[in-house]
């Protein structure tokens, strides 16, 4: 019942950040927040995606899971590695 952001580059950056944290920390820690200690945050599991605010209240700070009534919700629910790579090359 949620949708990606209407701007695919937002979705691509968030997914890549989640994947990077999964590889480095062992859990998909929210890439859109600042942490003093990422390892401690992973252990707390509060900001592991999908985070508690998303699961409990459908509030997604990263704009990865948007409810249909959100002005930024898109209609496309698929993103490919080619799109993620294209965004990476523009950064």
């Amino acid at each position: 019942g949620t949708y990606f952001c209407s701007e695919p580059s937002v979705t691509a950056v968030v997914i890549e950040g989640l994947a990077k944290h999964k590889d480095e920390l062992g859990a998909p820690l929210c890439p859109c927040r600042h942490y003093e200690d990422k390892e401690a945050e992973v252990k707390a599991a509060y900001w592991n995606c999908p985070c508690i605010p998303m699961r409990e209240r459908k509030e997604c700070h990263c704009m990865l899971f948007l409810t249909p009534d959100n002005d930024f919700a898109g209609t496309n629910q698929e993103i490919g590695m080619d799109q993620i790579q294209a965004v990476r090359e523009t950064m």
Side-chain angles (χ1 to χ4, degrees):
T2 62
Y3 299 88
F4 288 153
C5 180
S6 58
E7 175 50 54
S9 64
V10 172
T11 301
V13 168
V14 172
I15 288 174
E16 184 168 18
L18 289 168
K20 180 180 175 188
H21 283 155
K22 176 89 167 145
D23 287 347
E24 294 174 354
L25 303 167
L29 184 67
C30 177
C32 304
R33 298 187 178 275
H34 172 75
Y35 309 98
E36 293 297 325
D37 183 344
K38 289 183 180 182
E39 289 81 12
E41 292 292 339
V42 165
K43 288 178 185 171
Y46 190 84
W47 294 116
N48 292 343
C49 187
C51 64
I52 291 172
M54 167 48 213
R55 287 181 280 162
E56 290 182 352
R57 298 181 302 278
K58 301 292 188 246
E59 295 172 1
C60 184
H61 177 80
C62 301
M63 298 180 66
L64 187 61
F65 303 107
L66 298 174
T67 55
D69 60 332
N70 188 298
D71 290 340
F72 296 102
T75 56
N76 190 3
Q77 281 304 97
E78 295 182 15
I79 189 166
M81 283 302 298
D82 55 331
Q83 290 172 289
I84 293 172
Q85 182 65 31
V87 169
R88 182 185 301 146
E89 290 172 0
T90 64
M91 297 177 82

